[in-house]
RNA sequence: UCCUCCCUAGCUCAGUUGGUUAGAGCAUCUGACUGUUAAUCAGAGGGUCGCUGGUUCAAGUCCAGCGGGGGGAGCCA
């Protein structure tokens, strides 16, 4: 019978009622041969278990080492010590699993995130990752809660896909062919007709195209699943396997799309702030301590919680691409030639430009809309009435301080002729996407959607600087451990 | 993929112009103490200096290649 155990988080919220309880967890520290700091993952706050001197066998006490797992039954009493409101005076103590202190890599001391990343299977047992992953859970739950309350249908789009048409990046090939000797056509190319699906297949880079199929039947749908990019990206904000949320709405234009994205982001942040306050406070303190070592000018103006409150309580700035370029051209940074890359209408904005807009100029999340058609995807709706040479599309990117692009979306091109013409221009094979084009053939409607990188959202909320620290088992180039 | 920095004990890091037996703090172990808060005090053990090769009388230290990691950039979410 294990299910009679009390979660430490719940126990710590009770009064010291002198009742008997049973708790289970892992030892964080064992002080003075008397005090066990026990943690069960429900909170960073440890339960103090008191072992009265002489009551327990010496050999048993020796086995209470860092991360040994314990079952403790005892009486909940007001704590005589200072660090906690209550404690459990043990009457029964059972070691469920020993932990060899000489071999166990985690110690009751500060470890670097780089080291902990190498022991990702154990890092959940630290306060930092405990808070990060409880927050990740809260955010994921809030995503579903938000869309459910809005009447969106959760659509599971496929992980394996045959469409290579989206151009969102390099793809991972999925195949059961023998890679050392695959069947070949007469011209030497690989014969995918012999492959499992009878054609070349890959892991998905986006559920959007399938999402549009759902939206043009259910009205509003969202997807929330894993996404794969085989880019050789070695940065603190890229993963080869990450999670993305992609809502797609029929009868929806660019402005509706922006409104939803802004409301959505604020909702899930607010949910985390309400439900995981202690974890946020812990991470805020961690970040503040870390920044103490930085020079004054590199430190954040706002603490983590102040930053989130600011985002939740203020409107996102909304500007067009053209306005963004004008701001950059007028900026002191541009005039002093501080930018490494040149600024002019038509460029794809570089990180330094986006950072200037978000972190220096507006100091809040910014939604940039109506990008040049030439630098955006084929499915984005072409703006009407553009002057020649300045064609734009109804795209919108949300840029967040410290993270960069957190949302990318657009109103979709619902006019069949315009879509087909654009696909031709961009060499997207229309015959492979016949099913996508059918939505424009049969009852086409104005519709829009966006993708939100979930890990980047978790980074933003937790303040973690490296995306590898907000996903349980990060997949990056040359790294697929665990 | 490019630029740049780093790799010394379980962890974090010192290690001088190349020079005898490579150090510290924390952790671990042993003992003491016992209402502690990353407990404290005393002692002990613990090293293929990332790997391979080169220069040299002599390499942790200099050079080259490879591997791994950090920061920045590109690609993007």
């Amino acid at each position: 019978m294990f299910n009679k155990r009390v979660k430490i988080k719940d126990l710590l919220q009770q009064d010291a009622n002198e009742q008997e309880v049973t708790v289970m967890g892992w030892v964080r520290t064992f002080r003075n041969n008397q005090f066990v700091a026990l943690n069960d993952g429900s909170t960073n706050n440890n339960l103090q278990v008191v072992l009265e001197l002489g009551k327990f066998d010496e050999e048993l006490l020796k086995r209470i080492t860092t991360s040994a797992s314990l079952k403790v039954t005892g009486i909940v009493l007001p704590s005589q010590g200072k660090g906690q409101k209550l404690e459990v005076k043990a009457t029964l103590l059972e070691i469920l699993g020993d932990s060899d202190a000489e071999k166990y890599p985690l110690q009751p001391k500060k470890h670097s995130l780089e080291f902990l990343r190498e022991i990702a299977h154990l890092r959940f047992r630290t306060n930092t990752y405990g808070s990060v992953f409880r927050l990740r859970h809260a955010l994921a739950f809030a995503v579903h809660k938000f869309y459910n309350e809005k009447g969106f249908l959760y659509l599971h789009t496929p992980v394996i896909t045959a469409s290579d048409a989206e151009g969102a990046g390099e793809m991972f090939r999925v195949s059961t062919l023998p890679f050392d000797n695959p069947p070949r056509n007469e011209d030497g190319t690989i014969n995918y007709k012999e492959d499992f699906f009878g054609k070349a297949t890959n892991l998905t880079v986006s559920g959007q195209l399938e999402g549009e199929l759902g939206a043009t039947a259910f009205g509003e749908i969202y997807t929330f699943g894993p996404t794969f990019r085989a880019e050789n990206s070695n940065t603190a904000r890229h993963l080869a396997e990450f999670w993305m949320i992609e809502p797609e709405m029929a009868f929806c234009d660019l402005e509706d799309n922006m409104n939803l994205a802004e409301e959505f982001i604020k909702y899930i942040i607010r949910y985390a702030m309400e439900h995981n306050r202690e974890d946020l406070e812990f991470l805020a303190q961690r970040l503040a301590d870390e920044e103490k070592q930085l020079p004054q000018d590199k430190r954040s103006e706002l603490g983590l919680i102040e930053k989130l409150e600011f985002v939740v309580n203020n409107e996102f700035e909304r500007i067009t691409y053209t306005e963004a370029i004008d701001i950059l051209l007028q900026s002191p940074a541009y005039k002093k030639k501080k930018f490494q890359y040149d600024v002019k209408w038509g460029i794809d904005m570089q990180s330094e430009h986006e950072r200037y807009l978000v972190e220096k100029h507006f100091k809040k999340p910014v939604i940039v809309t109506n990008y040049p058609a030439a630098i955006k995807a084929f499915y984005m709706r072409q703006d009407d009435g553009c002057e020649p040479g300045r064609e734009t599309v109804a795209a919108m990117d949300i840029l967040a301080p410290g993270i960069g692009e957190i949302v990318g979306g657009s109103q979709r091109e619902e006019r069949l002729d315009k879509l087909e013409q654009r696909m031709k221009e961009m060499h997207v094979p229309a015959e492979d996407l016949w099913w996508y084009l059918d939505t424009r053939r049969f009852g086409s409607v104005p519709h829009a959607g966006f993708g939100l990188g979930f890990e980047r959202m978790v980074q933003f909320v937790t303040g973690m600087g490296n995306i590898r620290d907000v996903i349980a088992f990060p997949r990056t180039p040359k790294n697929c451990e665990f």
Side-chain angles (χ1 to χ4, degrees), chain A residues 108-121:
Chain A
K109 58 164 281 190
K110 200 168 160 48
H111 288 294
S112 68
L113 297 177
E114 291 83 7
F115 169 68
L116 292 169
R117 227 171 273 153
E118 289 170 19
I119 50 166
H121 58 308

Side-chain angles (χ1 to χ4, degrees), chain A residues 202-217:
Chain A
N202 301 290
L203 292 178
T204 183
V205 293
S206 163
Q208 180 200 315
L209 300 188
E210 289 90 350
E212 288 187 45
L213 310 182
T216 51

Side-chain angles (χ1 to χ4, degrees), chain A residues 15 51 101 116 143 189 194 210 214 264 413-414 433 449:
Chain A
D15 296 323
L51 308 177
L116 292 169
V143 167
T189 56
E194 301 268 315
E210 289 90 350
F264 169 50
E413 183 55 81
E414 84 281 10
L433 292 177

Side-chain angles (χ1 to χ4, degrees), chain A residues 49-63:
Chain A
V49 173
V50 183
L51 308 177
E52 213 176 329
L53 286 170
K55 277 235 175 165
F56 295 90
D57 189 56
E58 280 284 321
E59 286 306 304
L60 186 70
L61 295 182
K62 278 193 178 170
R63 291 169 62 201

Side-chain angles (χ1 to χ4, degrees), chain A residues 147-154 220-222 247-249 260:
Chain A
Y147 287 113
N148 186 56
E149 285 169 4
K150 288 252 166 208
F152 282 55
L153 183 140
Y154 178 27
E220 287 88 22
I221 66 95
Y222 71 106
E248 193 72 34
M249 296 81 70
L260 182 85

Side-chain angles (χ1 to χ4, degrees), chain A residues 310-370:
Chain A
F310 182 84
V311 166
V312 161
N313 293 325
N314 286 280
E315 302 284 301
F316 293 5
E317 196 67 35
R318 298 184 185 195
I319 58 171
T320 65
Y321 169 88
T322 303
E323 288 165 345
I325 293 294
D326 284 343
I327 289 166
L328 291 172
L329 289 172
Q330 298 297 319
S331 69
Y334 178 77
K335 289 175 179 168
K336 289 181 193 162
K337 299 195 192 304
K338 287 271 178 69
F339 291 133
Q340 193 188 333
Y341 293 87
D342 197 20
V343 178
K344 64 177 179 189
W345 199 96
I347 60 158
D348 206 353
M349 275 191 278
Q350 303 293 317
S351 294
E352 58 177 356
H353 304 139
E354 295 181 347
R355 293 180 76 113
Y356 178 84
L357 287 173
V358 172
E359 288 162 24
K360 292 260 162 41
H361 190 82
F362 290 114
K363 299 187 179 188
K364 58 155 107 169
V366 177
I367 312 183
V368 182
T369 62
N370 306 95

